[in-house]
Amino acid sequence: MLVYLNGAFVDHVDAKISVDDRGFIFGDGVYEVTRSRDGVLLEVDRHVRRLERSLAGLDISFSPTDLPAVSLRLLRENNLARGEATVYWQVTRGAAAPRAHQFPPAGTPVTVYASAGSFTSLHEKRVTGVGTILLPDQRWARCDLKTVNLLPNVLAKQKAVAAGVHEALLMRDGVIMEGAATNFFGVIDGMVRTHPKTNNILPGITREVVLELAAELGIAVREEPMLVDDIPRLTESFLTGTTNDVMPVVAIDGRPIGDGRPGPIAGRLYSALMNRWRVGD
Ligand SMILES: Cc1ncc(COP(=O)(O)O)c(C=O)c1O
């Protein structure tokens, strides 16, 4: 597998970073996960813009505008230009010693890494819908930045897996914020609701696209916090994310949502998303 590291395309086993890298030492970096279909990067401009925003949020100087071209070469050279793949981008504040919390001297090169891997759509799960559990949101106050500091997300997802469900829903002060790696949507009284863009959620690319598709389809959406107490009123619920697309949620903490089957609005939005991402025909 060929990967990209600091300007060079190298074999995965030869890609080495310093033990002084601030990504390793402090989790001082940002990332993106993008999808490709038949060699086309999906929503790539939005991913570049979000990476720019995350970099600016951490005051890391780097322009990611070359990463799409880098990604296309990774897809080609790794025989991923057909079918589905994911592409990972990560930028850290670079390597600096001795270890010190404050930023390293100006001019310290950032570390830039990109890789591509094959991807199998989670379609079987979409057919049945998935279960979720509610957990306290233990993340920091800038969840809107896509940083590699993912420990609360990692621990939450592990609890979900241990509970035999697909995703953990993170709640703060009685409000459902989002999933550990997805945005959360619910339908109450025929109205789709999702948390507004604040510092407490990641501004998901799929969330944004799904909101636009809902508007085109005439599906009413309110960007409004959803309370844990609202759960019994949900007639339908779903998650959005780069690897989840639109994923119906059929249970929260073992309690069925609606009739316990994937709902019609999730189905319509998923079809619209697939239509938007139809490549090469
Ligand atoms: C915490 C969190 N929320 C939401 C999302 C969904 O974002 P996107 O649709 O851009 O993949 C992700 C994706 O990784 C995430 O980590």
Side-chain angles (χ1 to χ4, degrees), residues 3-174:
V3 301
Y4 172 89
L5 184 63
N6 298 329
F9 289 85
V10 293
D11 195 282
H12 182 253
V13 292
D14 298 323
K16 302 270 188 336
I17 60 161
S18 166
V19 290
D20 294 322
D21 195 278
R22 291 180 61 98
F24 175 56
I25 297 289
F26 292 112
D28 188 355
V30 294
Y31 76 106
E32 281 294 321
V33 179
T34 69
R35 273 269 291 287
S36 75
R37 182 165 279 179
D38 288 342
V40 176
L41 296 165
L42 305 175
E43 313 297 345
V44 65
D45 294 344
R46 297 183 200 237
H47 283 282
V48 169
R49 279 202 300 275
R50 186 170 64 184
L51 187 59
E52 285 171 340
R53 185 177 180 280
S54 299
L55 286 161
L58 297 198
D59 224 345
I60 296 177
S61 259
F62 173 71
S63 167
T65 48
D66 285 347
L67 288 180
V70 164
S71 306
L72 292 180
R73 179 160 165 199
L74 285 175
L75 290 171
R76 276 197 311 273
E77 302 223 6
N78 289 304
N79 291 322
L80 294 167
R82 287 235 153 268
E84 302 256 9
T86 55
V87 179
Y88 181 81
W89 302 337
Q90 181 172 331
V91 183
T92 79
R93 205 183 303 276
R99 178 183 180 278
H101 285 60
Q102 70 271 22
F103 293 177
T108 302
V110 296
T111 302
V112 184
Y113 170 66
S115 64
S118 66
F119 173 72
T120 308
S121 158
L122 306 175
H123 208 63
E124 277 169 31
K125 289 191 169 191
R126 196 172 350 269
V127 173
T128 54
V130 296
T132 58
I133 51 170
L134 278 170
L135 290 175
D137 190 347
Q138 296 179 322
R139 299 173 301 163
W140 72 328
R142 290 305 307 274
C143 299
D144 56 318
L145 303 176
K146 200 163 169 64
T147 83
V148 294
N149 270 278
L150 288 170
L151 258 191
N153 311 60
V154 166
L155 296 176
K157 180 75 181 194
Q158 180 55 31
K159 282 194 176 134
V161 169
V165 296
H166 178 66
E167 180 62 306
L169 303 178
L170 306 178
M171 55 181 171
R172 207 184 280 250
D173 300 328

Side-chain angles (χ1 to χ4, degrees), residues 184 186-188 226 230-237 252 257-258:
F184 178 75
V187 184
I188 293 178
M226 179 100 60
D230 289 330
I231 291 175
R233 297 170 57 214
L234 288 170
T235 53
E236 177 174 348
S237 168
I252 300 178
I257 302 300

Side-chain angles (χ1 to χ4, degrees), residues 31-33 47 50 139 143 146 150 153 170 178-183 201-208 240-243:
Y31 76 106
E32 281 294 321
V33 179
H47 283 282
R50 186 170 64 184
R139 299 173 301 163
C143 299
K146 200 163 169 64
L150 288 170
N153 311 60
L170 306 178
E178 61 179 331
T182 51
N183 291 109
I201 70 159
L202 186 80
I205 305 294
T206 324
R207 173 191 181 282
E208 190 173 279
T240 62
T242 295
T243 55

